[in-house]
Amino acid sequence: MAKLYFYYASMNAGKSTTLLQADFNYRERGMRTMLWTAALDDRAVGKPIASRIGLEAEAHRFDAATDLWAEVSRAHADTPLDCILIDEAQFLTKEQVWQCARLADQAGIPVLCYGLRTDFQGELFAGSAALLGIADALVELKAVCHCGRKASMNLRVDGAGNPVAEGAQTEIGGNERYVALCRRHFREAIGKT
């Protein structure tokens, strides 16, 4: 029975690397995968999914208007798919998460979603909230805070490295804009009591 999985973590936990490894494992066994990532993340200079350790792959891009059920079903009818892998899953809409569940339930295709759980203010992203609510399996990937504890929060910083506590929920960036911290150091950095 196919399942909907949500692999979540803070920044720098290896989500994209883990996705690319899972894709490799499927393809190495002669299975067909379909990769997706958020269209708004345009940092990758060659291929849409790129990890910090240098792995990369081609992927379809989704935005809020993408009908994942229709797009994947069309491809699956042409050549059966064995797995769907979605990077930056926090940017899925609630409806798209339900489409992923339908792909697992009705089409019988495992759907592996990888993304952040919370934003720079500790608030859930819409896609992450839906995935936490309905995914069959939740897997937390671990990053490490500078103190050695598990990093579960994403601190946004400005160009000088100072904490940013307000702003738009989505601002694309990497190590120059975000620091993964444990909850204690996150609270201290933004002055949250």
Side-chain angles (χ1 to χ4, degrees):
M1 182 169 120
K3 293 182 179 179
L4 173 59
Y5 298 84
F6 183 35
Y7 295 84
Y8 65 92
S10 64
M11 300 284 290
N12 298 319
K15 295 176 299 297
S16 296
T17 302
T18 303
L19 177 151
L20 293 169
Q21 180 65 54
D23 177 57
F24 175 82
N25 290 343
Y26 273 94
R27 288 184 300 103
E28 185 178 45
R29 286 159 184 80
M31 300 172 121
R32 188 162 179 254
T33 61
M34 182 180 234
L35 280 62
W36 288 86
T37 192
L40 62 91
D41 185 356
D42 60 0
R43 290 174 293 160
V45 176
K47 307 208 173 168
I49 297 178
S51 71
R52 287 179 174 81
I53 63 170
L55 302 175
E56 59 183 24
E58 291 292 341
H60 300 270
R61 293 185 181 261
F62 69 85
D63 60 24
T66 305
D67 184 334
L68 292 172
W69 168 259
E71 296 289 330
V72 173
S73 294
R74 201 170 11 261
H76 185 59
D78 184 42
T79 306
L81 294 163
D82 297 294
C83 184
I84 306 302
L85 299 108
I86 302 174
D87 201 22
E88 304 292 351
Q90 70 270 12
F91 298 128
L92 293 168
T93 65
K94 183 177 180 180
E95 181 180 335
Q96 288 168 328
V97 171
W98 280 101
Q99 291 169 3
C100 290
R102 185 176 176 197
L103 287 165
D105 297 342
Q106 287 182 240
I109 308 168
V111 181
L112 286 61
C113 296
Y114 297 79
L116 298 173
R117 181 179 61 171
T118 59
D119 66 14
F120 76 108
Q121 295 177 320
E123 300 293 329
L124 290 171
F125 285 95
S128 302
L131 284 162
L132 287 167
I134 70 167
D136 297 298
L138 302 172
V139 181
E140 184 177 21
L141 303 175
K142 309 284 192 300
V144 180
C145 180
H146 61 80
C147 70
R149 287 193 203 104
K150 177 182 79 171
S152 59
M153 308 300 290
N154 303 300
L155 177 70
R156 184 182 290 170
V157 295
D158 63 19
N162 300 310
V164 175
E166 294 182 6
Q169 182 179 46
T170 301
E171 186 174 311
I172 302 302
N175 293 342
E176 79 288 353
R177 292 295 289 154
Y178 294 94
V179 178
L181 296 175
C182 67
R183 186 179 57 236
R184 175 185 166 198
H185 285 112
F186 174 81
R187 284 180 42 253
E188 290 172 1
I190 63 168
K192 202 170 198 100
T193 57

